[in-house]
Amino acid sequence: MKYFITTPIYYVNDAPHIGHLYTTLAGDILVRYHKLIGDDVYLLTGTDEHGAKIAEVAEKKGIEPKEFADQISAQFKSLWAKYDVKFDRFIRTTDADHEITVAEFLTKLKEKDFIYKGEYKGLYCRGCESYKKQSELVDGKCPDHNRVPEELSEPAYFFKLSQFKSQLIELIKCNALLIQPEIRKNEVLSFLQGQELEDVAISRQNVAWGIPLPWDNKHTIYVWVDALINYYTAAKEKNLWPADLHLMAKDILRFHCVIWPAMLIAIGEKPPKSVFVHGYFTIDGQKMSKSLGNVVDPDKLLEQYPRDVIRVFLFKAFPFGSDGDFSFDLLKEFYNGQLANELGNLVQRVLTMVKNYQNGVITKPKDIDPTFEIDKVSETWSLWKSSLDNLQFELGLKAIWALIKYANQYIDDNKPWGLAKSDSEKLAIVLYNLTEVIRHLSILLLPYMPDTASEISNRLGIKLQEDLLVDKQNWGVLKDGTKIELSEALFPRRG
Ligand code: MSP
C-alpha cells in the first residue's frame, strides 16, 4: 500500500531546533514502521526558502537570499543525516521543478476563475509570514513573534477562499480530511463555522524574493501558497497524490486545513487524507525562544547522547499531540532509569548468563515454562501496531517498557544463577524465553531506536532486516545453536 507522509518544510531564517527535529523524527518513525509492515512508504521533508522574512535576514547578513538559503538548508539536510532520518526527498522551494509546479498550479487557479485582482489593505506579520486581523494582536503586536505587524496597502491578487466554506466544513466533518487529535478538528470547525471566510491575498508586490506570478511578474507569489504546493510538486514526480498524512504542530494548522484543501479542490484535485497536529515543546517549563536563550540545538544534543537516546526520549516523554516539557534533567533521568537500568540491564544480564552458563550458545528447549506469559509478548505487538497506526507513540513505548519490566522480573523470579547449579533444563528454558523476548524487543524498538535494534540483533547473532515483519512476531524464532556475542553495556550509567 502506498503511504505518503510529509513534514512541514522549515523556514531557513534560522538554524534547526528541537521542534523541527521532533516532527521530522515522527515522520522517520512512521517510515520505519510502514516499511516493516510492507507499505510502499514515502517521506517528504525540506525547506521553505522564499519570502520577506528570509530576504530580511539575508540582507542583514549581507548575502544574497539564495546563498543564505543554501547554507541553512544544508544544515537541515545534514542534521537529518546525523539522526538517520530516512526521507525520500528533501525539497527546496527554490528547486526548479517546484517553481514550475507552482506556476502551473496558479495558472490553473486563474483559468478556473478562482483568482481576481484587488487591493490588500491590512496588517502583515513577517514572523508568521501571514496576514493578521487587529483582533489577533496583543498590545498591537503579533503574540507569537512579539513584533508590530507592517501595515500593507498594495495591489494584490486574491484567491476566492470564501467560496469553499461549506465544502471545507463537510470535508472535515465526515473525516474525508481527517484532522487529529479531535480537539484540532474541533478548532478548525469552530473557526470555519464562526465567521465568514475571507478571500486570501496570494501575491505580494514588494517582495522580490519569491516565485513570480506567471501572468504578472510585478508580483511574487505569497510564500505560504508557494510553500503548501511543495507537497504537490513532490507527489507529481512519483504519482503520489493525495498525501496520506501531513505532520505538523498547531502553529500551522489553519494553513493546512483551510487554505490548502481549498486550493486543491479549486484545481480539481483531492484534498490530503489526514493531518496530525502535535504539541509544542517548552524548555524547563518556559516557551522556547531566541530571546530567552533556551533554544535546544539538536546538533548539541548529539554531543551529549547517542541519537537513539534522544529519539526515544522525545516520544516517550509525553503524548504526541499534547504540549510537553523538555529538560536535560528529565533526559538524564530517563537515560539512567529506563535505558541503563531497564533496557540495557536486561540485555546485558541475559547475554552474560548465556555466555557464562551456556558457553554463549542459545539452546532451544523442547519443553516450556508454564509460568512464562507468552501472551504478554503478543499483547505488546498489538499495542505496538495500534499505537503506530494512531500516532500514539508514547502508548506503544509504554507497552514495550512493560515487557522489559516483565522480563527483568522473570529473571528475578527464576534466579538463573541458582538454576545453573541445580537444573540445567529449566535454565535453558528460562534463558531461551529471555533471549526471545530480547529479539522481539529489538524489532518492537526498531522504529524508535534503529541503532539499538540492530545492535541487539547483532549480539543475538541474527541479521536485522528492516523491511519485513513476516514471521518475526512469532514465538520461537531463535534457532538452537545460535551464538551470541557479549559486549559493552548498551547504555552505561552516567553520574
Ligand atoms: N515554513 C513553514 C511551514 C510550511 S509547510 C508547507 C513553517 N516553518 S517553521 O520552520 O516555522 O516550522 C514550523 C514547524 O516546526 C511546526 O509546525 C512544527 O512542526 C515544528 N516546530 C517549531 N517549533 C516547535 C516547538 N516549539 N515544538 C514542537 N514543534 C515545533 O512554519
Side-chain angles (χ1 to χ4, degrees):
M1 198 178 84
K2 169 217 87 132
Y3 201 75
F4 176 31
I5 308 173
T6 72
T7 76
I9 48 170
Y10 305 112
Y11 286 130
V12 291
N13 60 312
D14 224 330
H17 60 60
I18 193 172
H20 306 127
L21 176 71
Y22 188 56
T23 322
T24 312
L25 287 179
D28 182 65
I29 289 166
L30 290 170
V31 163
R32 291 172 194 268
Y33 165 63
H34 282 277
K35 277 196 179 148
L36 275 173
I37 60 171
D39 286 340
D40 189 6
V41 61
Y42 188 99
L43 176 65
L44 174 69
T45 189
T47 42
D48 187 356
E49 306 189 0
H50 292 125
K53 171 162 60 180
I54 285 141
E56 179 185 296
V57 184
E59 199 184 325
K60 276 194 192 137
K61 299 207 181 260
I63 53 174
E64 287 300 313
K66 176 64 168 59
E67 192 187 335
F68 179 56
D70 286 347
Q71 291 171 8
I72 307 280
S73 182
Q75 279 187 39
F76 274 95
K77 206 169 181 180
S78 90
L79 183 69
W80 304 152
K82 289 181 199 163
Y83 278 90
D84 201 14
V85 172
K86 297 242 184 277
F87 59 79
D88 293 276
R89 176 162 178 191
F90 186 96
I91 195 169
R92 301 180 56 186
T93 50
T94 49
D95 285 344
D97 67 335
H98 176 67
E99 296 197 350
I100 293 168
T101 305
V102 170
E104 285 171 1
F105 201 114
L106 273 280
T107 304
K108 271 194 198 157
L109 284 179
K110 180 136 192 311
E111 282 168 3
K112 294 192 182 265
D113 201 24
F114 287 113
I115 304 274
Y116 64 92
K117 195 170 182 183
E119 178 86 8
Y120 181 80
K121 262 196 188 27
L123 302 165
Y124 190 85
C125 171
R126 272 196 200 189
C128 315
E129 288 282 17
S130 79
Y131 302 94
K132 294 274 156 187
K133 289 201 184 121
Q134 199 68 45
S135 58
E136 293 174 278
L137 307 181
V138 177
D139 298 332
K141 292 180 180 171
C142 160
D144 291 334
H145 293 92
N146 199 27
R147 181 172 176 155
V148 179
E150 308 158 58
E151 283 194 33
L152 292 184
S153 175
E154 58 180 28
Y157 288 89
F158 286 81
F159 168 54
K160 296 181 183 169
L161 182 63
S162 55
Q163 298 194 353
F164 292 89
K165 178 172 162 157
S166 51
Q167 254 172 296
L168 288 169
I169 292 173
E170 191 43 39
L171 198 71
I172 294 167
K173 267 192 172 163
C174 73
N175 294 337
L177 166 54
L178 174 67
I179 305 175
Q180 287 176 295
E182 185 87 7
I183 52 158
R184 301 294 169 205
K185 171 177 169 177
N186 295 337
E187 192 181 313
V188 178
L189 281 175
S190 65
F191 167 76
L192 284 168
Q193 286 160 336
Q195 64 217 293
E196 282 314 308
L197 258 193
E198 286 175 19
D199 292 344
V200 53
I202 53 109
S203 74
R204 294 290 310 272
Q205 209 176 31
N206 299 313
V207 179
W209 179 234
I211 304 175
L213 258 190
W215 61 88
D216 184 349
N217 62 15
K218 282 203 294 297
H219 293 249
T220 54
I221 294 163
Y222 169 42
V223 59
W224 261 103
V225 169
D226 166 357
L228 288 163
I229 296 172
N230 92 83
Y231 305 131
Y232 192 70
T233 306
K236 230 174 69 173
E237 190 193 26
K238 299 271 175 186
N239 206 9
L240 294 166
W241 198 257
D244 293 274
L245 172 66
H246 288 318
L247 292 167
M248 72 201 65
K250 55 190 178 181
D251 51 342
I252 54 177
L253 172 65
R254 271 193 217 167
F255 289 103
H256 284 82
C257 298
V258 178
I259 302 180
W260 179 224
M263 283 167 60
L264 287 158
I265 299 167
I267 66 157
E269 270 294 359
K270 289 191 179 129
K273 287 192 187 160
S274 75
V275 164
F276 195 102
V277 184
H278 64 72
Y280 248 48
F281 275 107
T282 50
I283 311 295
D284 292 309
Q286 279 185 304
K287 188 176 170 181
M288 181 167 69
S289 86
K290 248 184 149 176
S291 50
L292 288 172
N294 64 354
V295 176
V296 177
D297 174 353
D299 255 319
K300 293 245 163 65
L301 273 177
L302 283 177
E303 289 167 12
Q304 300 191 34
Y305 289 96
R307 59 190 180 195
D308 270 19
V309 172
I310 302 159
R311 289 174 63 110
V312 71
F313 172 68
L314 293 181
F315 291 91
K316 189 150 193 302
F318 58 89
F320 197 62
S322 313
D323 290 339
D325 195 41
F326 174 90
S327 81
F328 282 95
D329 288 345
L330 284 174
L331 176 54
K332 187 167 172 190
E333 196 183 303
F334 172 77
Y335 178 88
N336 278 332
Q338 304 189 37
L339 292 180
N341 286 353
E342 294 178 8
L343 173 61
N345 199 24
L346 171 67
V347 174
Q348 202 64 2
R349 284 164 100 187
V350 173
L351 295 185
T352 305
M353 291 188 288
V354 175
K355 173 100 183 158
N356 291 348
Y357 306 143
Q358 297 185 162
N359 287 324
V361 178
I362 294 169
T363 5
K364 188 169 181 180
K366 290 196 182 55
D367 295 333
I368 57 153
D369 169 11
T371 72
F372 179 74
E373 297 173 55
I374 283 188
D375 284 356
K376 288 247 185 313
V377 178
S378 44
E379 278 160 22
T380 312
W381 277 111
S382 53
L383 282 166
W384 176 83
K385 183 157 188 344
S386 63
S387 65
L388 283 157
D389 284 337
N390 299 313
L391 284 82
Q392 295 170 317
F393 303 120
E394 164 258 6
L395 279 185
L397 285 164
K398 263 195 192 140
I400 295 174
W401 254 263
L403 184 61
I404 295 171
K405 286 203 176 96
Y406 175 70
N408 272 322
Q409 188 62 49
Y410 183 68
I411 300 178
D412 297 346
D413 292 347
N414 284 284
K415 302 184 180 50
W417 45 92
L419 296 175
K421 292 180 202 136
S422 59
D423 188 345
S424 61
E425 268 172 40
K426 176 83 191 281
L427 175 72
I429 297 171
V430 169
L431 289 184
Y432 188 80
N433 287 343
L434 288 164
T435 41
E436 260 294 287
V437 169
I438 292 175
R439 184 188 66 79
H440 280 264
L441 284 170
S442 73
I443 312 156
L444 290 159
L445 285 167
L446 189 149
Y448 303 97
M449 307 181 79
D451 295 336
T452 307
S454 70
E455 186 56 38
I456 297 177
S457 301
N458 288 342
R459 292 183 189 192
L460 285 175
I462 44 179
K463 199 173 149 13
L464 189 74
Q465 283 171 296
E466 296 194 359
D467 56 349
L468 266 184
L469 199 56
V470 187
D471 298 339
K472 286 181 186 162
Q473 295 178 59
N474 295 345
W475 185 256
V477 168
L478 274 174
K479 292 197 184 81
D480 192 52
T482 307
K483 216 168 160 24
I484 62 98
E485 206 180 291
L486 185 63
S487 189
E488 309 278 289
L490 288 173
F491 306 102
R493 267 190 76 83
R494 299 197 177 182

